[in-house]
Amino acid sequence: MRLNYRNTTLLLCCGAAAAVAAIFKAPIAGVAFVLEILMLDITSASVIPILIAAVTGTSVMFFTTGFEPKFDVAVPGMFLLKNIPLYILLGALCGMISAYFIKMNDWIAARFGRIRTVGGKWAVGGLIIGILIFLFPPLFAEGYDTMENLFMGRISAVFDNSPFYGYRDEAWVLIVYLVAILFFKVIAMASTNAAGGVGGSFAPSLFVGAMAGTTVALICRTFFGLQVPIVSFTLVGMAGVMTGVMKAPLTAIFLIAELTGGYRLFVPLMLVSAISYAISYYYDHQSVYTRKLSAAGDLLTHNKDQAVLLFLDMNRLIETDFIPIFENSTLEDVVKELPRSRRNIFPVVDFDQKLRGYVTLDDVREDMFNTSKYEDPISDYLQIPPALIRRNEPMDSVLEKFERTAAWNLPVVDEERHYLGFVSKSKIFSSYREQLREISYGD
């Protein structure tokens, strides 16, 4: 439809908000997801369409499946102040688990990246996932059935169809089994994704958080005799790990509250999410969604200056109307080119078109009318560029070179140092203003 960047992005965000809102019957979480994950600017022109999209998606889901929340969970009464230290502990644990989630996902992806064939990835991935699901059946699929069993108090159901079914009544075995499921879920998810499947990260983060919260509650009950509410800890743990993995605390808080109708848990949800975010951010600033984009320098954020720079196209900034001079030329050769040159810079190249330097009009001004100097080699006037710009260099690096050298023009070369043109500071500023106008106001 030939929409500009701003409207294309807005439609993308509307679709994402409507999808999350509809799947989980959580319109507020859908809006928060867009603002935190997709980094959309918060303006009335953008928020209103997203609100309408989220409400529409949720309304359609209400019409087709009813008004009941995704999980029909009986959330206990108001949280008890005496449990705040335990929630703080849970938040710290969720933050560390989130760091493990992201690091393990990257590690497995790197290992699968060494497998050259698609069939090889399928074979290795299938073997890993098959063994894990045989030992831990709750790892199969998204895990929503397992989470529902935890909400209903059927914790021992995690042993169903498992080789360890006979130990389901042993409390310490149950705790070890839940911890194992927690850690191996990340491996199963990462292996699925790396092998070419779709393991996602949204549902796995909720699943891992549910296991973490349930495990903490069981430990408190079994070894310390504390009567903590398992369901509340399970729900809050889901928000904690999701926050750490996605770096999206508002999305996690509202999703769990709307997912279960558990608005009574707002205080522990906020507390655990905040602590988890802080700890996971300490280990890694990026979320599981943004790590690859950040590493490639393609991550858009709320930093509008950085966003504008990301959209500047180096190929459109390169100016090629400079007349090259061969390195064995003389001053006379340069003087002959002056009438047809619109520039005061002459790049100097060798016969392979590799850049050797440049000569400016100011360099030859004193001798350009002195015919006795015409046989002087151009190398006598040659200047070495204070910096070189590569063809595909990120714009923030380009600007850093301009700032460091205080230059107004810098030459652009390819990987073999072949001359391509020049980039001027004035051209960058002009393109920056145009791109900022496009992003901020559209057409």
Side-chain angles (χ1 to χ4, degrees), residues 118-378:
V118 174
K121 292 181 180 181
W122 291 352
V124 175
L127 181 63
I128 293 174
I129 297 166
I131 292 174
L132 289 178
I133 291 177
F134 173 76
L135 295 175
F136 307 99
L139 298 181
F140 181 74
E142 298 92 345
Y144 289 127
D145 291 340
T146 299
M147 286 187 277
E148 192 164 1
N149 283 330
L150 297 181
F151 298 148
M152 296 298 105
R154 299 189 294 267
I155 303 177
S156 61
V158 297
F159 285 104
D160 290 351
N161 303 312
S162 166
F164 308 102
Y165 182 79
Y167 299 95
R168 66 187 183 279
D169 295 326
E170 296 288 341
W172 70 270
V173 175
L174 175 59
I175 293 173
V176 172
Y177 194 70
L178 290 176
V179 172
I181 292 175
L182 183 157
F183 284 100
F184 285 120
K185 179 64 174 180
V186 178
I187 296 175
M189 172 213 68
S191 299
T192 302
N193 291 330
V198 183
S201 57
F202 200 107
S205 68
L206 294 176
F207 181 92
V208 171
M211 291 296 160
T214 301
T215 301
V216 170
L218 285 178
I219 291 175
C220 291
R221 282 172 168 261
T222 303
F223 298 108
F224 300 99
L226 301 175
Q227 295 304 309
V228 296
I230 295 179
V231 172
S232 296
F233 273 71
T234 301
L235 293 171
V236 174
M238 293 167 66
V241 173
M242 185 179 184
T243 294
V245 169
M246 300 185 181
K247 303 296 187 293
L250 293 179
T251 301
I253 292 170
F254 285 111
L255 179 67
I256 299 305
E258 294 181 291
L259 195 65
T260 62
Y263 292 95
R264 297 176 179 178
L265 295 175
F266 258 131
V267 173
L269 283 172
M270 294 167 66
L271 177 62
V272 170
S273 295
I275 295 173
S276 176
Y277 181 91
I279 292 177
S280 65
Y281 190 85
Y282 172 80
Y283 287 105
D284 197 318
H285 293 359
Q286 301 298 334
S287 74
V288 70
Y289 290 131
T290 60
R291 288 176 59 78
K292 289 184 178 179
L293 288 172
S294 179
D298 295 332
L299 178 62
L300 286 174
T301 69
H302 286 302
N303 184 340
K304 188 165 290 187
D305 180 69
Q306 184 67 29
V308 173
L309 291 180
L310 185 60
F311 278 99
L312 292 183
D313 185 359
M314 173 62 73
N315 292 322
R316 297 176 59 185
L317 296 176
I318 298 177
E319 301 176 71
T320 59
D321 56 344
F322 296 83
I323 299 177
I325 301 295
F326 287 109
E327 61 180 345
N328 64 344
S329 300
T330 63
L331 175 59
E332 183 180 10
D333 296 323
V334 176
V335 173
K336 288 180 179 179
E337 297 291 353
L338 289 178
R340 68 186 189 93
S341 175
R342 297 165 45 199
R343 298 286 191 163
N344 62 355
I345 299 178
F346 297 88
V348 179
V349 298
D350 61 17
F351 288 104
D352 292 328
Q353 293 298 311
K354 293 184 178 180
L355 184 69
R356 296 304 181 189
Y358 62 85
V359 174
T360 69
L361 185 59
D362 290 338
D363 296 329
V364 301
R365 191 183 304 277
E366 292 184 4
D367 298 333
M368 60 188 297
F369 298 111
N370 185 354
T371 56
S372 64
K373 294 277 191 176
Y374 276 15
E375 296 302 320
D376 290 356
I378 201 62

